Amino acid sequence: MGPPGAGKTTVGRIVGHKLGCHVIDVDDDVLQTTWNMSVTEKLQDVGSRQFIEEEGKALLKFSASGSVISLSGSNPMHAASMQHVKKNGIVVYLDVPTRDIIDRLELMKVDRIVGQDSGISVRDILQFRKQFYKKWFDIRVRCESGLTAEAVADKVLDAVKRYQDSESETFISTRHIRSEMCEQKYFTEVVVEGLASDGGLFVPEKGLPTFSAGEWQSLVEATYIERAQIILERFIHPADIPAFKLGEIVEIAYGENFTCSKIAPLRYLTGNQFLLELFHGPTASFKDLALQLMPHLFAYCIPKRCNYLVLVATSGDTGSAVLDGFSRLSDTDKQRIAVVTFFPEDGVSQIQKSQMIGCQRENGWSVGVKSDFDFCQTAIKEIFTNSDYSGFLTVEYGTALSAANSINWARLLPQIIYHASAYLDLVHQDIITFGSPIDVCIPTGNFGNILAALYAKRMGIPIRKCICASNENNVLTDFIRTGLYDLRGRRLMQTSSPAIDILKSSNLERHLHLIASGDGQLVTQLFSELEKQCHFQLQKDLLEKLQQDLVAGWCSEEDCLAAIHSVYSTTGYILDTHTAVAKVVADRLQDRTCPVIISSTAHYSKFAPAILRALRIAEIKQNPLSQLHLLSSYSPLPPVHRGLLETLKENEKQKHQICAADVNVMMAHIETVIQNQFMKVF
């Protein structure tokens, strides 16, 4: 299946020859035989609308087995006949970039296709038809420019083999020891379970999928939503989530919830620096890019007759993003999926706290913990690995636990998309040609965002260095420079960039597993040492591998605020505190021989007190809503985030719970939530 000029007939013949199968071309062998006239004559005789109906009737009467069938370009526009076709075979979509199709049609001297009326361009018709192709395919084969029909046929056969071998794409724990029985999981299980039973994190057993340079280049003119679906299809087997369903989920996630149609736009800042704006989602932080998508993946993957309570530890932005994301599920799904976010009561900004409280809905709660983020995260891992407790919840309440932190693979996966998309945008804007290197600089705490960039590099995006930017909690900077991860004597410092006020970076475990070539025994040893002795030392060869991709630096509070003031004074742009940390580190470490993309991870208005202080505007009021109103009233500034303002107004009507830094107390809160949320169903 594919548009006119996609090469369906030629590729079908090659595939049929390779498989030793009968080959049927719908145009020549079905339609012309049925009508006793050419397809062109029929189109001229009945017109486009009636042609599609007549074509569909002919296809409904047709059946075959053991054959390779090349559909016409307009077959997918007739629903009944496509249901008939899909029931009896695997539908492969030859996805050829629109520009290539137009060039081919011009060479073939095709000046009119089905559905093209006077005044409608070929490009518009091809764009219109995509909705039908997306609806019916089982497998997409991306056909980059310059690919021969023989090469496309080989890609088709590889894709069909993958489709039929659904049991080959499994996940293992980062702590899996090769000599022992492997706890293999499928994507749906990984999304639901969140954390491996041995305390490790799930990773693909056979590694990451890769794209050829040509495949990446074919996405240069694609939209963010198109890029997202194509990348996700490589990670998620159709047996776990069918392609058409995945497409629906992606379109819901990245649709009207974002204030910018580009979803994650790239903005020029100064010199060789560009900002990847990741704050256009409903809660004004980069977490929305994952958490508008992940809840829908989760709802699709969970067993239909089980309730789930999703636990989240947050250093600030994740809390409101996960509450908002899960609140957008269908009413049916919200009856069986609830969320509890645990955050450090005194370790997030006033606006972040107010936002989390304001984002509470009928299936979501925020709980402040009298400790720091590291305690919250460690406590949740402990709760997950407490089989007696989770078993009790299942037996007593019919409820299972899951996680929505970046320890969950479905949280990490969408982040790969925006790093790849940012590079493609640089190419699309003619700032670089494909293959030219870039650096990325990312404010880093839990290592998820920067890990996604490292994964994008492994998949073929030409990222030279990932620059890890820390605030005064600079344990990662020291580790990347020395190989020593050392928590001895370290106290978590509260800064104006609270989302990266983290000392234990969970996703680092995934990267160490990757560079250690999947040595789960070594990973287990390292993190056992960290847990028991508060430090570990990376051996020399692994440190060298780590430093091939990563460099690191850190930024003081003073330098962070100075950067916000400096950038605003020279450009009129306001960085949030986390982006300012990355800007300072990029200025120090990047050699200016290639572009650097700085991840702008939150809207500046989430950190109003620090911004007001940096810009020396006025006396800072304690009330978060007053702080935003003050920013809004200062006309030279860009507008505050509208969704944030609305959420804070909602907060005035709501309260939240506070608990002690005690795992048992947290478990009691969890049980209370389950009773309130799910027992009414039972």
Side-chain angles (χ1 to χ4, degrees):
M1 179 182 73
K8 301 181 294 296
T9 300
T10 305
V11 171
R13 287 172 182 155
I14 297 170
V15 169
H17 176 73
K18 288 176 179 282
L19 294 177
C21 291
H22 183 51
V23 179
I24 300 169
D25 181 78
V26 166
D27 274 347
D28 294 342
D29 302 325
V30 178
L31 301 181
Q32 291 190 177
T33 303
T34 302
W35 296 333
N36 291 318
M37 66 173 69
S38 71
V39 170
T40 302
E41 290 171 333
K42 185 72 171 181
L43 179 59
Q44 291 172 343
D45 184 37
V46 301
S48 291
R49 183 171 298 181
Q50 186 61 31
F51 178 88
I52 291 171
E53 188 61 33
E54 295 289 332
E55 183 183 52
K57 288 178 182 177
L59 196 58
L60 278 168
K61 295 176 181 177
F62 168 76
S63 63
S65 61
S67 303
V68 176
I69 301 169
S70 298
L71 298 176
S72 78
S74 52
N75 278 151
M77 299 172 73
H78 190 271
S81 62
M82 284 306 296
Q83 288 169 348
H84 169 68
V85 168
K86 194 174 174 70
K87 194 188 327 181
N88 294 293
I90 302 169
V91 180
V92 181
Y93 172 30
L94 300 186
D95 186 7
V96 182
T98 300
R99 179 67 262 169
D100 290 0
I101 290 292
I102 292 172
D103 290 344
R104 292 180 190 180
L105 293 177
E106 287 177 355
L107 283 173
M108 295 160 65
K109 300 190 184 311
V110 174
D111 56 4
R112 182 169 178 244
I113 57 179
V114 176
Q116 186 180 5
D117 296 323
S118 177
I120 300 176
S121 69
V122 172
R123 177 178 289 276
D124 288 341
I125 286 292
L126 293 173
Q127 191 63 35
F128 172 74
R129 283 194 181 185
K130 282 185 179 181
Q131 63 183 303
F132 300 102
Y133 301 138
K134 287 191 296 184
K135 184 177 180 180
W136 298 113
F137 75 90
D138 296 304
I139 304 167
R140 182 200 306 263
V141 172
R142 189 70 178 171
C143 306
E144 61 267 35
S145 297
L147 213 58
T148 65
E150 185 82 24
V152 173
D154 287 338
K155 290 186 75 168
V156 168
L157 292 171
D158 288 342
V160 170
K161 182 180 179 182
R162 179 202 176 207
Y163 180 85
Q164 294 175 323
D165 189 11
S166 61
E167 296 184 1
S168 66
E169 295 185 20
T170 53
F171 290 76
I172 57 171
S173 168
T174 49
R175 302 186 187 186
H176 164 63
I177 298 172
R178 289 171 180 154
S179 59
E180 298 178 358
M181 181 75 71
C182 182
E183 182 192 22
Q184 293 177 318
K185 299 285 184 179
Y186 297 111
F187 178 82
T188 49
E189 296 172 304
V190 165
V191 172
V192 172
E193 294 176 22
L195 188 70
S197 59
D198 59 9
L201 308 184
F202 287 116
V203 290
E205 185 174 11
K206 294 184 178 179
L208 303 167
T210 58
F211 285 66
S212 68
E215 287 174 322
W216 283 124
Q217 286 175 279
S218 74
L219 294 176
V220 166
E221 294 191 11
T223 66
Y224 189 90
I225 288 176
E226 289 169 340
R227 292 169 182 170
Q229 181 167 358
I230 289 166
I231 292 169
L232 290 172
E233 284 170 9
R234 294 290 181 92
F235 278 97
I236 302 172
H237 194 280
D240 289 305
I241 303 180
F244 78 91
K245 183 62 183 178
L246 183 60
E248 288 178 1
I249 289 173
V250 169
E251 289 185 0
I252 291 170
Y254 300 130
E256 297 177 357
N257 304 343
F258 285 77
T259 58
C260 177
S261 61
K262 293 183 178 179
I263 313 299
L266 201 64
R267 177 191 288 264
Y268 174 70
L269 183 61
T270 184
N272 66 327
Q273 295 180 345
F274 296 82
L275 291 176
L276 175 56
E277 291 186 340
L278 300 172
F279 51 71
H280 292 285
T283 70
S285 90
F286 79 105
K287 309 287 187 175
D288 289 324
L289 275 296
L291 283 164
Q292 288 298 305
L293 179 72
M294 184 264 185
H296 296 283
L297 298 177
F298 184 85
Y300 184 85
C301 291
I302 64 173
K304 301 306 178 190
R305 297 195 176 186
C306 188
N307 295 322
Y308 275 84
L309 183 64
V310 178
L311 303 182
V312 182
T314 176
S315 56
D317 291 329
T318 298
S320 54
V322 75
L323 289 166
D324 183 273
F326 277 92
S327 76
R328 295 176 186 270
L329 294 175
S330 68
D331 290 341
T332 301
D333 286 333
K334 282 190 284 190
Q335 288 178 2
R336 61 197 185 106
I337 303 170
V339 184
V340 180
T341 63
F342 292 99
F343 66 92
E345 174 67 19
D346 301 313
V348 297
S349 78
Q350 282 296 316
I351 289 179
Q352 284 178 314
K353 182 190 290 189
S354 296
Q355 188 182 22
M356 276 188 277
I357 297 168
C359 281
Q360 294 179 116
R361 297 290 185 270
E362 69 268 30
N363 68 330
W365 292 266
S366 291
V367 179
V369 181
K370 287 291 188 179
S371 187
D372 56 30
F373 170 76
D374 285 331
F375 172 81
C376 296
Q377 181 165 251
T378 301
I380 282 186
K381 284 187 175 181
E382 188 176 325
I383 291 168
F384 265 108
T385 52
N386 185 335
S387 56
D388 290 339
Y389 178 68
S390 58
F392 163 74
L393 295 180
T394 302
V395 172
E396 187 72 15
Y397 302 114
T399 299
L401 299 178
S402 190
N405 282 81
S406 56
I407 58 176
N408 190 310
W409 181 252
R411 262 289 309 281
L412 185 64
L413 193 53
Q415 295 179 271
I416 300 169
I417 298 163
Y418 58 71
H419 288 299
S421 185
Y423 183 89
L424 297 174
D425 282 346
L426 280 181
V427 177
H428 189 245
Q429 295 169 23
D430 293 325
I431 294 162
I432 57 172
T433 56
F434 190 90
S436 301
I438 64 162
D439 293 334
V440 295
C441 186
I442 301 170
T444 303
N446 216 22
F447 209 79
N449 198 354
I450 199 166
L451 178 62
L454 290 162
Y455 280 175
K457 177 178 181 175
R458 291 268 177 158
M459 292 170 63
I461 292 295
I463 296 172
R464 185 179 63 167
K465 290 286 186 182
C466 292
I467 304 171
C468 176
S470 302
N471 59 21
E472 291 177 349
N473 295 292
N474 55 2
V475 63
L476 280 172
T477 299
D478 292 344
F479 172 67
I480 291 167
R481 289 176 177 176
T482 68
L484 176 63
Y485 203 104
D486 194 354
L487 300 179
R488 293 171 296 184
R490 280 190 185 266
R491 289 178 60 251
L492 190 73
M493 301 178 68
Q494 290 188 9
T495 74
S496 59
S497 48
I500 55 175
D501 285 349
I502 296 171
L503 294 178
K504 291 183 179 179
S505 301
S506 287
N507 271 296
L508 178 63
E509 181 168 337
R510 281 189 169 113
H511 190 54
L512 295 183
H513 183 269
L514 182 66
I515 63 173
S517 302
D519 189 343
Q521 187 166 0
L522 174 62
V523 172
T524 302
Q525 176 191 327
L526 293 176
F527 284 90
S528 176
E529 290 176 7
L530 184 64
E531 192 65 34
K532 294 175 182 176
Q533 302 168 26
C534 294
H535 73 283
F536 67 76
Q537 175 68 53
L538 213 57
Q539 58 201 53
K540 184 180 178 182
D541 60 327
L542 286 184
L543 177 59
E544 289 173 352
K545 281 187 178 181
L546 185 81
Q547 292 174 342
Q548 286 174 6
D549 296 325
L550 286 163
V551 293
W554 67 278
C555 170
S556 69
E557 281 290 277
E558 182 181 354
D559 288 343
C560 171
L561 298 183
I564 294 169
H565 185 271
S566 173
V567 169
Y568 178 66
S569 298
T570 55
T571 69
Y573 191 91
I574 303 182
L575 306 175
D576 92 288
T577 48
H578 306 78
T579 310
V581 167
K583 162 73 172 156
V584 170
V585 173
D587 286 343
R588 291 173 183 166
L589 297 184
Q590 215 264 342
D591 62 12
R592 294 170 177 77
T593 60
C594 69
V596 57
I597 296 176
I598 297 171
S599 286
S600 184
T601 53
H603 195 277
Y604 76 87
S605 52
K606 295 192 81 165
F607 308 95
I611 302 302
L612 292 167
R613 195 159 61 246
L615 301 183
R616 305 157 199 168
I617 289 176
E619 182 181 346
I620 300 166
K621 295 178 169 57
Q622 287 301 309
N623 183 284
L625 201 53
S626 298
Q627 294 165 3
L628 285 194
H629 283 311
L630 180 57
L631 282 174
S632 297
S633 67
Y634 195 71
S635 58
L637 299 185
V640 300
H641 194 281
R642 180 176 298 179
L644 183 58
L645 202 55
E646 292 170 355
T647 303
L648 293 199
K649 290 176 182 176
E650 189 72 23
N651 164 56
E652 295 181 332
K653 309 171 190 174
Q654 300 196 45
K655 296 180 180 179
H656 77 294
Q657 295 179 324
I658 302 173
C659 77
D662 185 311
V663 175
N664 291 321
V665 174
M666 292 171 69
M667 290 194 294
H669 273 276
I670 290 167
E671 193 173 346
T672 300
V673 167
I674 291 173
Q675 290 169 347
N676 292 337
Q677 177 69 14
F678 298 128
M679 292 310 290
K680 59 191 178 186
V681 178
F682 286 88

